[in-house]
Amino acid sequence: MLRTFQNGDELGIVKLWNEVLIHDPINANRFRNQILLDANFDPKGLIVAVEEGAIVGAVLAITRKLPMEGTNLESDTGWITFFMVHPQYERANIGHQLFEQACDYIKNQGAEKVYFSSYAPNYFVPGIDEDRYPKGYAFLLKEGFRKLYSPVAMHRALIDYVYPEQINELKKQRESEGYSFGKVQDGDLYELIQFANVHFNPDWGRAIREGILMGMDPARVLVAKNQDTIVGFALYGGYEGIRERFGPFGVDEREQGKGLGKILLHDTLHEMRKQSLQGAWFLWTSEKSAAGHLYLKNGFQTYRKFHVMVKELINN
């Protein structure tokens, strides 16, 4: 039997999640915070398959009720952020039925396409990890999804990290030219959030605002300025309060090529090491982007690859 979410289902979903999505385990607190307290969550979009009182399949469909910025609800877009079926029921057509109902929900909200799973702010992974979940990837293809692009997750060990002398010299050179680097001040926050929203992604501005509101120490946010204007920033511990999680991080494209990103990156890693953190990681970048090259040249290694998938709903 397929039905929508009811009180108490969270226990069965978390249990099933940890049995099926074994590379991405979750606990009840994360489920509550990332899903049930998401402003865009609608119980009608969380569909479960039940057999003899036990949840054996689930899928979450999301459309935006609260704009990320301004008034843009991205009304043509929906997202599926997770799906799973117990292995014993994989050949019972449950997955297809779950997706059919999830896509109907998204389509009925007026959306024309659905993504797996590039949903901000509360995504768990950027997309499907083909290496770890080959059946899941094959299933998405069978359901009519196609691959858009393939972000990667990276990690850098900090156990033996030492601030590079060449970065120290570069920093002195830029400071002699009028640049400054340091921890964000309260008076910088409005400008910083607007900078993140305009030059990068509204989710980045949200991460700064909500991270600090939820208790993140503002000292984890570092900024680069040209005279008194913010031209770059980096932070750690902004997502879910996980201190080892690096980012977001970016430099104004008009200021690139001066090594400001290198300085911010290493200043942040140095701050993390001062906190006795053993590593830095993040979930989403492109290996072929300028940022991806910067990470790889400075000790980061790719440890997972994802595919962002999309399906058009207009003719379905």
Side-chain angles (χ1 to χ4, degrees):
M1 179 182 72
L2 265 61
R3 59 169 174 77
T4 57
F5 177 81
Q6 296 177 3
N7 181 22
D9 284 346
E10 64 274 13
L11 301 175
I13 295 173
V14 170
K15 180 178 183 294
L16 179 66
W17 185 304
N18 290 328
E19 292 173 349
V20 177
L21 305 180
I22 58 174
H23 301 287
D24 302 279
I26 193 174
N27 59 32
N29 287 344
R30 276 196 87 200
F31 186 86
R32 178 190 63 217
N33 295 341
Q34 294 280 99
I35 295 174
L36 301 180
L37 292 179
D38 184 352
N40 296 312
F41 173 71
D42 179 353
K44 298 184 182 65
L46 178 45
I47 304 146
V48 297
V50 181
E51 176 72 16
E52 296 182 354
I55 293 176
V56 298
V59 62
L60 177 60
I62 292 282
T63 57
R64 204 173 289 289
K65 280 83 176 169
L66 181 71
M68 184 68 70
E69 180 187 33
T71 60
N72 182 16
L73 289 173
E74 300 176 80
S75 58
D76 66 336
T77 302
W79 296 266
I80 288 175
T81 61
F82 72 81
F83 67 95
M84 54 201 173
V85 174
H86 193 283
Q88 292 182 359
Y89 296 87
E90 285 180 353
R91 299 186 180 277
N93 203 39
I94 291 175
H96 172 71
Q97 293 178 55
L98 286 168
F99 261 66
E100 191 171 51
Q101 192 162 325
C103 289
D104 283 345
Y105 167 82
I106 290 170
K107 192 172 182 179
N108 289 338
Q109 307 302 306
E112 299 175 355
K113 57 182 177 292
V114 55
Y115 289 93
F116 183 85
S117 60
S118 55
Y119 166 67
N122 290 326
Y123 67 90
F124 291 93
V125 290
I128 189 72
D129 183 335
E130 181 184 0
D131 292 335
R132 287 171 171 80
Y133 303 111
K135 291 181 180 179
Y137 178 62
F139 173 79
L140 287 172
L141 293 175
K142 186 178 178 180
E143 288 296 311
F145 285 76
R146 58 184 173 85
K147 181 169 64 176
L148 278 183
Y149 52 93
S150 299
V152 297
M154 291 186 177
H155 176 272
R156 190 200 197 282
L158 295 178
I159 297 173
D160 298 320
Y161 178 80
V162 176
Y163 194 91
E165 180 58 31
Q166 64 190 49
I167 300 299
N168 193 41
E169 293 300 320
L170 176 63
K171 188 175 182 179
K172 290 178 181 178
Q173 179 181 345
R174 292 295 170 254
E175 288 173 335
S176 71
E177 299 167 354
Y179 291 90
S180 62
F181 307 88
K183 297 174 182 177
V184 73
Q185 303 299 307
D186 286 353
D188 293 324
L189 291 174
Y190 174 80
E191 180 187 353
L192 173 60
I193 291 169
Q194 294 305 308
F195 173 80
N197 288 343
V198 171
H199 289 273
F200 300 100
N201 188 305
D203 182 45
W204 290 16
R206 180 209 61 82
I208 298 167
R209 178 187 295 107
E210 293 187 6
I212 294 174
L213 285 172
M214 292 174 64
M216 179 184 71
D217 186 349
R220 296 180 186 174
V221 184
L222 306 183
V223 294
K225 295 182 179 181
N226 184 353
Q227 304 303 327
D228 292 324
T229 301
I230 291 175
V231 294
F233 75 100
L235 64 97
Y236 66 98
Y239 291 109
E240 301 183 64
I242 302 169
R243 293 194 302 159
E244 293 85 358
R245 188 165 175 180
F246 175 83
F249 158 57
V251 173
D252 188 330
E253 61 180 10
R254 296 168 294 185
E255 295 280 355
Q256 291 179 3
K258 301 176 183 178
L260 304 183
K262 281 185 187 178
I263 296 169
L264 281 169
L265 175 61
H266 282 281
D267 280 0
T268 307
L269 296 178
H270 196 211
E271 288 299 318
M272 296 175 77
R273 188 69 188 98
K274 290 177 187 178
Q275 297 292 324
S276 297
L277 301 184
Q278 301 298 295
W281 63 272
F282 57 85
L283 279 176
W284 196 327
T285 194
S286 167
E287 284 183 311
K288 298 180 181 179
S289 67
H293 288 302
L294 176 63
Y295 290 128
L296 291 170
K297 289 179 180 178
N298 287 275
F300 282 81
Q301 296 181 335
T302 296
Y303 71 95
R304 289 186 76 173
K305 184 177 183 179
F306 306 94
H307 303 315
V308 175
M309 311 287 284
V310 66
K311 178 179 180 178
E312 306 296 334
L313 298 175
I314 298 176
N315 298 318
N316 289 280

